[in-house]
Amino acid sequence: MKTLLYVLYGGKSVEHEISLKSAYTVMQSIDESKFDLYPIYITRSGCWFSRGKLSGKTFLPGDLILEAAEEEPAGTIGRILTELFTLEGPKVVLPILHGSNGEDGTIQGMLELLNVPYVGNGVLASALTLDKALAKEVLASGGLPQAGYRTFPYRNWSEDRDHVISLIEGNIGFPCYVKPGSLGSSIGISRCERREELEIAIEEAYRYDGKIVVEKEVRGREIQVAVMGNEYPLVSLPGEFIQDKTFFDYNAKYIDGRLSMSIPAEIPDILVNRIRQMAEQAYLALNCSGLARVDIFLDAEGALYVNEVNALPGFTAFSMYPVMWERTHGTSYSELIEKLIDYAFNRHADKQRLQYTKE
């Protein structure tokens, strides 16, 4: 019997378009001899729609967006769960939902209630990794080095802007980066070299979140490492994007098309080992499972700093995560998806052993 694979994509998030790009590539790679594919599109308002089982791979990226009259999200979710999730056979969910309401533990909590296996991190790890401020606190408690940073809830800014600016100038300095507290894909992030830029950047970041993180710039290289697995994770060779911009922004990641990958990154072996160990340590510290990408700064003196852990790295044609596994173990894109599905089933099976009564 084939496995029923539900791919959730789109989502109520500013990273909606990134989800479409990732989901398209993922669905093109599914082995239809092993899986019955059920794409489920989530609109920007949170409604769920599906055309049922997808047969063949002749669809185009634009076909992923389903046009339908908007309804109350609860009604559409209930309809999908009743019509699709009650089908007989082994089931697994692949949530390709970047950012809010998908990468933050929200959808993971729902899938836990449904008691269905799903690919990727659980509720806690998803919530932690998307919340940059809380993730930094956990990483710091694990002894992992990070660049200097400060966190500011919106009330600090609304009550005393000058005080926030003074704290940033005195404790972080310039250049610095201003980021929304919970978001990815470099959306809402700005690099600042002076006070005038800082004020604009803070306002921009607060558009996307009620909390911001301001970080000291580390002059050097950003190295990326792919990690996958549950209790005993595997760690890829490190890679990096070669680019001519100081700041690796949204356009550089998804639009310009001028990025080139260096995998493995040209780094001395002793640093490669340290980077891979640090990536595994960060993965475990944040209770990750399934997959994550760990980004690490390497400065000119050879010092390493964890930048962030991305619980749902992109799977687009320009994404580093799948390519790092191909260069590390020769793992193809399709094989990678199946490995991640296996991890989902293994984690789900482990949870079924838990007891929920006192007897």
Side-chain angles (χ1 to χ4, degrees), residues 278-345:
M278 185 178 290
E280 180 179 3
Q281 187 179 354
Y283 187 88
L284 294 173
L286 291 169
N287 197 42
C288 291
S289 58
L291 76 159
R293 192 193 69 234
V294 182
D295 300 339
I296 296 174
F297 289 131
L298 169 62
D299 73 10
E301 285 71 44
L304 298 171
Y305 305 88
V306 176
N307 177 23
E308 62 182 50
V309 178
N310 189 319
L312 183 61
F315 276 83
T316 71
F318 301 105
S319 298
M320 181 76 79
Y321 187 90
V323 180
M324 283 192 284
W325 286 118
E326 192 278 327
R327 302 283 176 86
T328 301
H329 294 141
T331 304
S332 71
Y333 197 104
S334 296
E335 290 170 338
L336 176 60
I337 298 299
E338 292 186 21
K339 284 178 180 290
L340 297 177
I341 289 172
D342 286 342
Y343 287 129
F345 276 118

Side-chain angles (χ1 to χ4, degrees), residues 149-347:
Y149 69 94
R150 290 291 298 262
T151 302
F152 300 96
Y154 183 71
R155 68 174 182 274
N156 292 160
W157 181 246
S158 63
E159 292 171 359
D160 194 340
R161 296 187 173 205
D162 289 338
H163 183 58
V164 171
I165 295 291
S166 296
L167 287 175
I168 295 171
E169 290 179 330
N171 293 277
I172 304 299
F174 298 107
C176 66
Y177 288 88
V178 180
K179 305 178 177 181
S182 300
L183 209 58
S185 298
S186 297
I187 295 173
I189 299 180
S190 304
R191 180 179 184 271
C192 306
E193 295 185 344
R194 55 185 182 275
R195 174 182 279 241
E196 294 76 16
E197 294 176 338
L198 183 60
E199 293 186 31
I200 296 171
I202 290 173
E203 289 285 354
E204 173 69 8
Y206 278 130
R207 289 178 57 202
Y208 300 102
D209 199 84
K211 177 173 58 180
I212 65 169
V213 176
V214 183
E215 299 175 356
K216 183 179 182 64
E217 181 177 75
V218 175
R219 297 180 183 274
R221 301 157 64 183
E222 184 176 34
I223 309 300
Q224 301 185 4
V225 184
V227 187
M228 68 173 166
N230 297 331
E231 295 90 348
Y232 303 99
L234 304 175
V235 183
S236 77
L237 292 171
E240 68 179 320
F241 280 115
I242 307 301
Q243 55 156 343
D244 56 5
K245 291 186 176 182
T246 303
F247 173 33
F248 192 31
D249 60 9
Y250 181 92
N251 286 340
K253 287 182 177 181
Y254 300 108
I255 297 175
D256 291 348
R258 297 168 56 188
L259 294 172
S260 61
M261 299 178 184
S262 176
I263 307 173
E266 296 184 4
I267 303 171
D269 288 343
I270 189 170
L271 281 179
V272 169
N273 292 333
R274 286 173 54 198
I275 288 169
R276 297 179 79 179
Q277 291 170 1
M278 185 178 290
E280 180 179 3
Q281 187 179 354
Y283 187 88
L284 294 173
L286 291 169
N287 197 42
C288 291
S289 58
L291 76 159
R293 192 193 69 234
V294 182
D295 300 339
I296 296 174
F297 289 131
L298 169 62
D299 73 10
E301 285 71 44
L304 298 171
Y305 305 88
V306 176
N307 177 23
E308 62 182 50
V309 178
N310 189 319
L312 183 61
F315 276 83
T316 71
F318 301 105
S319 298
M320 181 76 79
Y321 187 90
V323 180
M324 283 192 284
W325 286 118
E326 192 278 327
R327 302 283 176 86
T328 301
H329 294 141
T331 304
S332 71
Y333 197 104
S334 296
E335 290 170 338
L336 176 60
I337 298 299
E338 292 186 21
K339 284 178 180 290
L340 297 177
I341 289 172
D342 286 342
Y343 287 129
F345 276 118
N346 290 338
R347 184 182 61 192

